[in-house]
Amino acid sequence: MDNVADEQKLKGIPASPGIAIGQIFVLVEAPEREQQEPIAENAVAAELQRFEKARQQCAAEIEQFMQKARSLLPSAVPILEAQLLILNDPLLLEEITSAIYQRHSAASAVLMVFNKHEKQLLRLRDPLFRDRALDLEDVKDRILSILRNEQISFSLPEKSIIIAHSLTPSEVLLIKEKDVRGIILESSSLTSHPVMLARSLQIPAVIGVRDALRLAQHAQTVIVDGYSGSVIFNPSEATIATYKQRRRLRRRAEQRIRKLKSLPSITTDGCQLHLYANADSFEDLDAAVTAGAEGIGLLRTELFLFNPDSNNGLFDEDALTQQYGEIAARVYPLPVTFRLFDLTADKLPNKVFFLREPNPSLGLRGVRLLLKHRSILGAQLRAILRASQHRNVRLLIPMVTSVAEVLKVMKLLRRFAETFRKQEIPFDPNLPIGIMIETPAATLLAHKLAPMVQFMSIGSNDLTQYTMAADRDNAAVDFYYDPFHPAVLQLIARTIEAVQPYGLEVTICGEFASHPLAIDTLIGLGISGFSVAPSLLLSTKKRIREANAEDARHLARHVLELSSPEEVRAAITEFRRQRKQKQTSRYSSGKSRTA
Ligand code: PEP
Ligand code: MG
């Protein structure tokens, strides 16, 4: 037996950020205990009536919850709407009614029919259906408790931390009303409705903590670290002090950004822009979500490689599948854009490629290298396709220079999708596919590439390098490597213009996207949005919110006429100076814009 005083640390999946320290409250599921004996023939009518009354009361309760959720937790409203649909589903109602006619009590008819549908949904192994199953369970529990005259309510001690196998959405809503500080679950679906609700409620949560219920029996206090996924039972005084300090630091940092975080990325004249984050690590994913990114606009998958734990080599399909599934779930429901490996042969250990090229960035890089090594491309495409079952995945092809490259990747993807369909492996049949615009060839072919894809992302780092023929990592040519060069701006403008008739989203994800001087010009050129490092999300948003799209269009037209980066920078600086002046004079005449 565990020593009561021992500190014990378990590791789970961080599901909702934040640190909580508190008393444990174990939530045990009520046993399913309906009688099996048939009811008397003359009791059928009364049971039918009882069921109908319970159904109506249940609908009224859900409506009530929905009222509350509209102000407290808007993200719960669609879940509750789905539950109302379940309550009115003619097929379910007919099955329950006919079970009662066959002399099952109202409660056992509900249990039987709901359980059957739940099982069918779970068998489909698709997270979307798993959520539907949880909704069914929630409605079932609610009707049963009405029929049994029970209250779905529990008395929680102050500031407690709930430990359970899993939760239903309405249990999370109840938790909202109590002073719950944290959630620890043994089950592990990051994309389930309750976990999403916990995230919206900003309740720190760690899930997939095996053994949590057992350890909870021998502990009173627990720490939940929703950033790292650690759960510490019976923490020592020193551990508590460390976590309190960590919490203070995090809170301070979060407070600074909170205000801007909830504001839209919109210009002063109402032009809405996308604001995504680039992610080079798992920490970036969390930072992006915390800072309110609309999603991950660029996940550099090659930087998530080099996993020392992988025994089967760098491109082990199972390891990639697991990693991508985790990433997609970690940011769910936000979209995540997996860029195919953008590797050069020289970046890889000898045992992977023997190729040594004199000029790797003009050699087999990105999609070129992948098309040469189909087994790597295949493993990655299949892993991304599997992760797409969450329906929040996008795929991005790097270093495109021709239509043929895109066609080849798509052909391969279609083949895998076909196999998955036959094997009943869930995936997103509408997985959005995009290309990076990083080469002059891609910009000049943008009108041909546009009808083939769903979105485009301008990689200004490489576009500058290849347009200016200046190695981005060579300090000797720093002077030439300049994204403000009119040639680079012309290519960006040309891409956006060529793609416009197809209505595609064209964002920009290189460092230029977050350059303080670049944002107005890019908006003026008609960019649909930005993808920037998580730490620069809010400063980028601030600049978007200061911009005026109409003025920016004038600026863009002007800079496209110029002939050197110095002139471009000077024009932008002057534009900003004038705007500031206008704002100051407007402010002093009392017509300031309210935030
Ligand atoms: C780019 O080229 O601008 C880009 C975002 O990709 P990377 O920096 O990974 O080459
Ligand atoms: Mg690039």
Side-chain angles (χ1 to χ4, degrees):
M1 168 147 166
D2 304 85
N3 185 334
V4 186
D6 276 357
E7 179 173 300
Q8 297 233 34
K9 188 169 179 174
L10 294 182
K11 208 63 185 148
I13 305 166
S16 175
I19 291 173
I21 304 167
Q23 296 281 308
I24 292 171
F25 181 84
V26 177
L27 191 65
V28 207
E29 281 165 43
E32 298 202 337
R33 48 169 170 80
E34 292 321 317
Q35 61 176 62
Q36 291 307 311
E37 300 98 65
I39 52 169
E41 184 95 52
N42 59 8
V44 167
E47 280 303 278
L48 282 171
Q49 233 178 28
R50 243 163 57 78
F51 167 66
E52 184 48 28
K53 241 176 103 184
R55 192 179 73 85
Q56 284 177 16
Q57 189 181 329
C58 184
E61 280 180 10
I62 295 177
E63 300 264 11
Q64 237 176 27
F65 258 132
M66 213 140 75
Q67 283 302 98
K68 266 192 226 167
R70 280 204 174 92
S71 57
L72 282 177
L73 187 57
S75 52
V77 173
I79 301 173
L80 294 167
E81 277 168 355
Q83 295 193 353
L84 275 181
L85 285 180
I86 292 173
L87 264 184
N88 291 312
D89 185 312
L91 181 73
L92 269 180
L93 296 186
E94 199 190 303
E95 285 184 34
I96 292 170
T97 316
S98 79
I100 298 176
Y101 274 122
Q102 285 160 28
R103 300 179 44 203
H104 287 279
S105 70
S108 65
V110 167
L111 196 65
M112 213 168 68
V113 172
F114 272 79
N115 280 355
K116 183 185 94 183
H117 286 279
E118 258 178 74
K119 261 195 214 131
Q120 280 168 353
L121 287 172
L122 289 172
R123 226 176 285 138
L124 294 174
R125 290 191 301 159
D126 185 314
L128 280 187
F129 292 122
R130 203 167 49 210
D131 268 352
R132 293 274 300 153
L134 260 182
D135 287 335
L136 273 177
E137 190 181 323
D138 209 358
V139 176
K140 174 186 79 182
D141 288 350
R142 210 184 276 275
I143 303 182
L144 287 178
S145 63
I146 296 170
L147 286 168
R148 293 171 186 152
N149 253 335
E150 290 168 355
Q151 283 280 330
I152 310 185
S153 146
F154 29 86
S155 57
L156 294 169
E158 273 284 282
K159 300 171 189 166
S160 54
I161 290 178
I162 292 218
I163 303 186
H165 176 71
S166 55
L167 291 174
T168 61
S170 49
E171 279 165 345
V172 180
L173 277 169
L174 270 177
I175 283 170
K176 164 75 189 162
E177 294 186 341
K178 316 273 171 171
D179 190 17
V180 166
R181 293 297 162 91
I183 297 173
I184 300 169
L185 299 183
E186 286 197 341
S187 65
S188 66
S189 168
L190 268 172
T191 55
S192 71
H193 287 151
V195 171
M196 282 161 56
L197 292 181
R199 232 176 273 159
S200 326
L201 290 169
Q202 298 180 358
I203 300 176
V206 177
I207 64 171
V209 189
R210 269 191 251 153
D211 240 16
L213 284 168
R214 188 180 64 82
L215 285 194
Q217 290 169 15
H218 310 294
Q220 291 198 328
T221 311
V222 70
I223 297 177
V224 184
D225 181 350
Y227 298 110
S228 70
S230 297
V231 167
I232 299 135
F233 289 91
N234 283 329
S236 67
E237 286 301 318
T239 308
I240 291 178
T242 308
Y243 273 88
K244 279 190 173 164
Q245 170 67 357
R246 236 176 252 180
R247 186 167 61 186
R248 258 194 303 276
L249 292 176
R250 288 275 192 170
R251 278 188 183 157
R252 225 175 283 156
E254 280 166 13
Q255 247 158 22
R256 279 200 295 273
I257 59 171
R258 194 160 296 143
K259 200 167 148 242
L260 251 185
K261 178 184 158 175
S262 52
L263 297 175
S265 304
I266 194 166
T267 61
T268 55
D269 51 346
C271 173
Q272 177 87 45
L273 287 129
H274 295 288
L275 184 53
Y276 300 112
N278 296 344
D280 298 349
S281 66
F282 275 96
E283 288 73 32
D284 279 351
L285 295 175
D286 296 340
V289 174
T290 310
E294 193 181 322
I296 304 298
L298 167 69
L299 185 117
R300 293 180 165 104
T301 54
E302 64 281 1
L303 300 180
F304 286 74
L305 271 175
F306 309 116
N307 175 6
D309 302 335
S310 169
N311 296 324
N312 304 328
L314 274 182
F315 306 106
D316 172 36
E317 183 171 332
D318 290 340
L320 293 178
T321 300
Q322 191 190 336
Q323 190 185 53
Y324 295 172
E326 248 176 57
I327 292 171
R330 190 136 161 181
V331 299
Y332 187 88
L334 305 181
V336 51
T337 312
F338 287 91
R339 183 177 70 182
L340 296 179
F341 297 129
D342 184 13
L343 292 160
T344 45
D346 65 321
K347 297 264 165 56
L348 292 165
N350 264 335
K351 65 178 187 182
V352 181
F353 292 118
F354 298 103
L355 195 64
R356 282 289 164 260
E357 295 178 301
N359 195 344
S361 35
L362 294 179
L364 279 181
R365 181 183 167 183
V367 71
R368 303 174 178 185
L369 186 110
L370 293 171
L371 287 170
K372 274 260 175 210
H373 296 271
R374 296 289 174 103
S375 61
I376 299 175
L377 177 58
Q380 191 177 29
L381 285 177
R382 283 190 298 268
I384 293 175
L385 211 49
R386 278 178 196 265
S388 77
Q389 64 173 303
H390 294 286
R391 304 293 196 277
N392 65 332
V393 166
R394 310 199 304 172
L395 187 152
L396 184 59
I397 311 174
M399 268 300 282
V400 169
T401 50
S402 74
V403 166
E405 289 160 343
V406 182
L407 283 177
K408 282 179 195 161
V409 174
M410 283 178 165
K411 193 170 160 202
L412 211 55
L413 195 66
R414 261 199 305 276
R415 215 177 76 204
F416 296 140
E418 200 43 51
T419 315
F420 277 25
R421 211 168 277 130
K422 282 192 194 129
Q423 296 173 347
E424 292 184 23
I425 298 173
F427 68 96
D428 182 359
N430 302 314
L431 171 73
I433 298 173
I435 49 168
M436 292 284 289
I437 299 287
E438 294 168 295
T439 61
T443 67
L444 298 173
L445 276 183
H447 61 297
K448 297 279 182 202
L449 294 161
M452 303 169 66
V453 295
Q454 283 74 52
F455 67 98
M456 287 188 180
S457 185
I458 298 177
S460 54
N461 302 340
D462 279 315
L463 187 58
T464 306
Q465 148 163 285
Y466 295 124
T467 306
M468 300 306 302
D471 184 341
R472 60 195 261 191
D473 298 320
N474 180 353
V477 287
D478 246 6
F479 173 77
Y480 297 94
Y481 180 89
D482 192 338
F484 286 95
H485 194 290
V488 179
L489 297 177
Q490 293 280 359
L491 288 176
I492 295 177
R494 201 183 159 120
T495 306
I496 297 171
E497 204 179 294
V499 167
Q500 228 148 33
Y502 301 92
L504 294 192
E505 174 190 298
V506 185
T507 53
I508 176 158
C509 62
E511 304 314 302
F512 194 48
S514 51
H515 194 296
L517 285 186
I519 290 167
D520 290 299
T521 308
L522 288 166
I523 293 176
L525 291 173
I527 202 85
S528 340
F530 301 82
S531 189
V532 304
S535 57
L536 297 170
L537 270 167
L538 293 169
S539 54
T540 306
K541 187 189 279 189
K542 188 165 168 282
R543 291 195 177 94
I544 294 173
R545 291 177 59 79
E546 283 164 3
N548 177 288
E550 187 53 37
D551 294 348
R553 276 191 282 275
H554 288 295
L555 170 70
R557 269 198 292 275
H558 175 52
V559 299
L560 287 178
E561 299 290 316
L562 302 173
S563 39
S564 74
E566 293 75 24
E567 282 174 14
V568 170
R569 261 189 284 264
I572 297 174
T573 310
E574 175 57 17
F575 169 84
R576 283 158 58 91
R577 195 191 60 76
Q578 284 184 16
R579 178 170 66 200
K580 199 153 183 207
Q581 201 173 33
K582 246 197 265 172
Q583 276 166 351
T584 321
S585 60
R586 219 184 296 158
Y587 179 74
S588 53
S589 64
K591 283 193 276 175
S592 74
R593 170 179 179 247
T594 44

